[in-house]
Every structure is written in structure tokens, then in C-alpha cells.
Amino acid sequence: MAVGKRDSRITYCQSLGCGAVAGVFSRSLTCPLDVVKVLSQVGTFHSKQGFLGTFRLLCEAEGLRAFWKGNTIACLRLFPYNATQLSAYNKFVNLFMDDLGHISHCAAIVAGSLAGIVAAVLTYPTELIETRLIVQHSRAPTYRGIVHALLTIYTREGFPALYRGASLTILGAVPFSTGSFLVYINLDKLWNKSSVKFTPLQNFANGCLAAGVAQTLSFPFETVKRKMQAQSPLLPHYGGVDVHFTGVIDCFKQIVKTKGFLSLWNGLSANLLKIVPYYGLMFSTFEFCKRACLYKNGYIVSPLSYQLSPGVDQSLRAEELQELKKLIRGKSFETDRSTLGNKWWG
């Protein structure tokens, strides 16, 4: 999903913090669906009995904790990913702006997609490690943790192994951006009213719909990427990958040849089911954290509502409001000291 415009009433660090907390919370609660999705994409034995069967087989083989395999590294990745994405997005937006400072909706989507690519490529090794931790058997692990996995892959397979399948991130961005654009240009027709009149609930539904369409179109690229990430001579049965291949193109060919064309979308059910709770939890958690920051900065009277603080100029940036408060406190202090001095000498 595209990066939104930051509220100037909260600082850059506060914005990153809100995004990180919201991301960790929503990612952790929907992690079981993500684990099932990855296992289905890779094609491990857990996925042979369908979506619900994957849950049952994984629980029987490894216990409930297995549904949170790879969650720690996925949550840790959110911090550098969000920071990189936000920084890159702002630079791309400035690049695509016209002389009047305006940017088209299409250009904004492209800017968001390019920012996502930059962030994904820079943090790609953490995604590969996440996949390896998910596909390994947690009761007989090859990797004892995040650091051990990183060092083992680097020393035993070489540095390029940490970026195996990274090209699929770039290739998958094309159908992803196309799907997002097709949804957003037809929202007026869908709701039969202008986009400026959409309610918050409609905007949330629009985001989920765009994510669903975009992820469905780009899903085959992610499936191939996950298989390439999981394939390793260090793991039993080469990571449990259900096809043997020598590269990106050969992986596509072998999947279609041995498993059928629709198998490129294995795991899509878990992915689509994750969208609404994931973005719902992320949105609500982000809004709560944002209200807490606005309350701390002095813009609202309570973190439980958006009731504005009386007498506070909401157009001031967070840094400007803090400077104004310091100036007022300084003048108040000088006035009090002057008053006390007059009383003493009077």
C-alpha cells in the first residue's frame, strides 16, 4: 500500500515509531496466516492437504509455537523497512511533482511502489532468513536463531545466497502497481461518488481492495521468490521445496510443468484472509499511537479522542509548537521574576 502523507503535528521519529508499533502488533497477531502462506508457496509436506490441513499438520508436527516461526526477524525488519520506504517515498514524490507542487494519483502509486522496491531490496536478507526459519523443523532446527542463520548462510552458501530471488521483488512490482492503479481509478464508479467524499471506512475498504487485487496479480512472483529463498542444501529435503530448478525462469517452468499453472497461487487463500485483520489492526493501532503523540505534543485534550486543545494552532508543526511553548514559558518566567523583584524593592 502506498505511503500516506505524514501529519506534521507529530515528529518524524514519532511517525516512524507509530508505524513500527502498529506493524509489529498487526504482524504478530496475523503471523499464523503468514506462516501457512509461506509453507503453501514453498510446497512443504504441511500444505499437501489444503489450507485448513496445513494448520492441522503443522500443529501436530511442531506445536502451536510453530505458527510464529520467523516472526521476530519479520518484526525487526519493519524498523529499517519503514524508515527506508518513507525516506525513499518522499524523494520520489519530490521527483514526480510538477512546478506547482502537485502529483498525480498514478505518479503517487508509482512513487510508493518504487519506495517499496528500494526498502525491500535493502532489507532482503532478513526476508530470506525469515523464510528459512519458517520452512525448517522447529524441533530439529538447522538454524538456532537469526544470527546463526545469517552467519551460516553467509559462510556456507556465500553472500549472493542472501539475495537469492531478489529480482522477483522488482519484477513483481509491475503487476502490483498495475493492480493498485486499476482499483484506485475505478473507486469513483464503485462508490458512485467523488473520492474526496469517501468516509474513513470506505477508505479502509478501498485500501484492502487495492491490496487484495495487487497482491493477487503479483502473487506468482512471490511464490517463485519464496521457493528460491527456501531452497538450500543445508536444509533437509532442500527446504521442502516441491520442485527442482536452476534459476528464476526454470522455476516458473517447473512449477507450471509439474504442478500446474494455478499452483503459482498456492497460499493465496491465507494471504487474502490476512488482509482485512492485518490492515485493520495496523490502522487502529497506528491511530491510537498517533493520538497518544498528539496528546503528548499538546494538540488534543485526551489520547482517547480527537478533541482539539483550545487555543492551539493546529497548523503549527510539532517542532514549531514546542518552540512556541518554550518561548511562552520563558516570557512567563521573566514576568514572574520581574514581579517578585518589584515587590522586594517596593
Side-chain angles (χ1 to χ4, degrees):
M1 299 180 78
V3 181
K5 184 178 180 181
R6 180 173 68 87
D7 191 331
S8 63
R9 296 176 299 172
I10 60 176
T11 66
Y12 178 78
C13 290
Q14 287 176 333
S15 180
L16 287 180
C18 291
V21 171
V24 168
F25 186 68
S26 56
R27 176 65 175 76
S28 296
L29 289 184
T30 59
C31 189
L33 286 169
D34 211 54
V35 169
V36 169
K37 180 197 74 171
V38 172
L39 293 176
S40 299
Q41 289 177 312
V42 173
T44 63
F45 76 93
H46 311 87
S47 62
K48 302 306 178 185
Q49 296 184 20
F51 173 62
L52 295 178
T54 305
F55 280 95
R56 181 177 58 81
L57 289 174
L58 180 60
C59 187
E60 290 175 355
E62 303 180 49
L64 284 174
R65 290 184 62 183
F67 289 109
W68 278 268
K69 292 192 293 185
N71 187 54
T72 301
I73 183 69
C75 291
L76 289 175
R77 182 174 67 244
L78 291 172
F79 294 90
Y81 184 94
N82 287 344
T84 304
Q85 185 185 36
L86 187 59
S87 177
Y89 178 75
N90 290 332
K91 291 185 182 301
F92 284 123
V93 165
N94 291 332
L95 182 65
F96 294 150
M97 275 184 180
D98 58 24
D99 295 336
L100 298 177
H102 299 147
I103 182 171
S104 67
H105 203 84
C106 178
I109 291 176
V110 172
S113 298
L114 291 175
I117 291 174
V118 172
V121 170
L122 290 178
T123 60
Y124 190 82
T126 60
E127 184 182 346
L128 183 136
I129 292 172
E130 176 198 349
T131 301
R132 295 287 182 91
L133 294 176
I134 289 175
V135 299
Q136 74 171 357
H137 199 296
S138 58
R139 290 179 176 172
T142 300
Y143 309 112
R144 295 192 297 271
I146 298 170
V147 176
H148 182 252
L150 175 63
L151 294 176
T152 302
I153 295 170
Y154 177 74
T155 56
R156 301 279 296 276
E157 300 181 60
F159 179 77
L162 292 169
Y163 281 89
R164 186 176 296 151
S167 60
L168 277 307
T169 298
I170 301 173
L171 294 174
V174 177
F176 187 93
S177 299
T178 302
S180 298
F181 180 67
L182 289 175
V183 170
Y184 278 111
I185 63 174
N186 289 290
L187 288 177
D188 292 359
K189 298 176 183 177
L190 177 65
W191 297 108
N192 197 28
K193 62 179 178 180
S194 174
S195 59
V196 297
K197 298 180 180 179
F198 290 159
T199 65
L201 182 60
Q202 286 175 323
N203 283 325
F204 173 72
N206 295 339
C208 291
L209 178 62
V213 173
Q215 291 176 21
T216 299
L217 292 177
S218 62
F219 205 78
F221 295 92
E222 188 183 351
T223 297
V224 174
K225 180 181 70 175
R226 291 292 186 181
K227 290 183 187 295
M228 296 191 70
Q229 289 175 339
Q231 187 186 57
S232 171
L234 303 180
L235 293 170
H237 310 292
Y238 270 72
V241 182
D242 57 357
V243 293
H244 298 287
F245 53 88
T246 57
V248 174
I249 297 177
D250 186 50
C251 187
F252 273 105
K253 289 181 179 179
Q254 294 303 322
I255 293 172
V256 175
K257 180 180 177 181
T258 61
K259 302 295 178 180
F261 181 71
L262 292 180
S263 63
L264 288 167
W265 281 269
N266 284 347
L268 181 63
S269 298
N271 189 70
L272 293 179
L273 284 174
K274 189 186 77 170
I275 288 176
V276 173
Y278 179 82
Y279 287 114
L281 289 166
M282 177 176 283
F283 177 78
S284 57
T285 305
F286 183 87
E287 286 300 306
F288 179 79
C289 292
K290 179 182 173 181
R291 286 200 302 269
C293 292
L294 289 175
Y295 172 70
K296 179 180 181 297
N297 294 346
Y299 289 98
I300 57 178
V301 297
S302 169
L304 301 179
S305 71
Y306 272 118
Q307 183 179 347
L308 303 180
S309 297
V312 175
D313 187 352
Q314 300 291 323
S315 65
L316 291 175
R317 292 186 297 110
E319 297 82 0
E320 293 173 338
L321 182 59
Q322 296 307 313
E323 288 297 322
L324 181 60
K325 286 182 176 180
K326 289 180 181 178
L327 181 63
I328 293 174
R329 282 196 296 265
K331 288 185 176 181
S332 177
F333 176 75
E334 290 294 333
T335 302
D336 291 342
R337 190 170 64 176
S338 176
T339 303
L340 287 172
N342 291 336
K343 288 182 177 179
W344 177 262
W345 294 105

